[in-house]
Amino acid sequence: RRQRQMCIRDRFCIEWKGGVCGLRLDIIGSVASGKTTLAKRISQRFNTPYYEKDNVVWKRTSSGDEKRSHEERDRCFNEIINKKDWVVEGSPRESLKESFGCCDYIIVLDEYTLVRLIRVFKRWINQRRGKEAYNSEPTLEFLWWNIKWVFEFNKIRKGLIKELNSYGEKVKRFRHSKEAYAFVVQKYGN
């Protein structure tokens, strides 16, 4: 495992003054870029829990999704990032950036737009057929929102990369999740 320097960038982080620290990754990217698949693979390989940021923002209930209050959302996220080991994944958003200062690496999945659109359609079809699990019901409206989010990522990409530059070498940008997985395996061994 890697040695971790004291995290002073963010008040929500556990402060480490050396010693052994667990794997801490934040995976971000567009809808259908491979974030969840990558997080699951890393989680299984390194026996590390992974968390979807959507499930921090939304409380999943049998009667539908309920948006958490800002306080509840922040408390939930802080509990996650104050653990020894974690992988979090999600689309870029204004909230839930506290993990950037605490993680070992920010992995940006920047898959081609066409690939992401094909994945959105395949996922939607598989969910409609009951072959793939989902958090939000795969309606036509939800398909439209996913397509819209793919193109919104393209619009914010340049600003996002500029914002992430302040985190220096901990930001790693990959076109494909397989490349990101190989990087993580190389860095953390096992």
Side-chain angles (χ1 to χ4, degrees):
R1 298 277 184 162
R2 301 187 39 172
Q3 294 260 326
R4 184 177 195 63
Q5 298 299 318
M6 187 161 101
C7 179
I8 57 175
R9 295 186 80 146
D10 185 87
R11 65 186 172 92
F12 299 112
C13 297
I14 295 176
E15 295 182 356
W16 293 88
K17 296 180 181 177
V20 178
C21 179
L23 180 147
R24 293 176 163 201
L25 301 173
D26 194 327
I27 303 169
I28 61 173
S30 169
V31 167
S33 61
K35 301 177 303 293
T36 305
T37 301
L38 176 60
K40 285 178 184 178
R41 285 187 73 198
I42 293 169
S43 174
Q44 291 169 349
R45 172 80 183 246
F46 295 99
N47 196 28
T48 300
Y50 83 95
Y51 305 90
E52 297 175 33
K53 288 183 180 179
D54 280 350
N55 292 336
V56 173
V57 173
W58 298 95
K59 187 185 300 182
R60 310 298 184 180
T61 69
S62 58
S63 58
D65 293 347
E66 297 174 12
K67 194 166 191 172
R68 296 180 197 271
S69 69
H70 296 310
E71 295 79 19
E72 185 181 6
R73 176 201 66 205
D74 292 346
R75 185 175 56 253
C76 180
F77 197 54
N78 291 333
E79 286 175 11
I80 293 167
I81 64 173
N82 278 305
K83 294 179 180 181
K84 181 181 169 209
D85 298 295
W86 46 262
V87 176
V88 294
E89 64 86 3
S91 297
R93 57 180 75 217
E94 287 304 310
S95 61
L96 305 182
K97 292 182 179 179
E98 297 87 3
S99 52
F100 291 174
C102 299
C103 63
D104 300 321
Y105 296 101
I106 302 166
I107 295 176
V108 181
L109 292 181
D110 194 9
E111 183 62 78
Y112 293 106
T113 302
L114 181 59
V115 171
R116 289 182 279 135
L117 286 170
I118 291 169
R119 288 178 180 170
V120 163
F121 281 104
K122 282 183 174 180
R123 178 187 295 164
W124 183 77
I125 290 167
N126 286 336
Q127 289 172 342
R128 298 277 298 179
R129 292 180 173 169
K131 294 181 178 181
E132 188 174 328
Y134 54 85
N135 288 322
S136 299
E137 190 169 339
T139 61
L140 279 173
E141 180 182 12
F142 194 67
L143 173 62
W144 164 248
W145 279 106
N146 276 268
I147 295 167
K148 183 178 183 224
W149 292 328
V150 165
F151 289 107
E152 281 181 357
F153 179 81
N154 292 349
K155 289 179 186 176
I156 68 161
R157 178 189 290 121
K158 191 174 184 180
L160 174 67
I161 298 304
K162 185 177 180 181
E163 177 187 351
L164 292 174
N165 282 339
S166 67
Y167 294 97
E169 289 298 312
K170 74 164 44 181
V171 177
K172 303 297 177 191
R173 190 172 169 190
F174 300 95
R175 182 62 73 182
H176 308 290
S177 62
K178 288 179 182 178
E179 297 166 349
Y181 182 74
F183 168 79
V184 171
V185 168
Q186 185 263 325
K187 285 294 180 184
Y188 292 93
N190 236 11

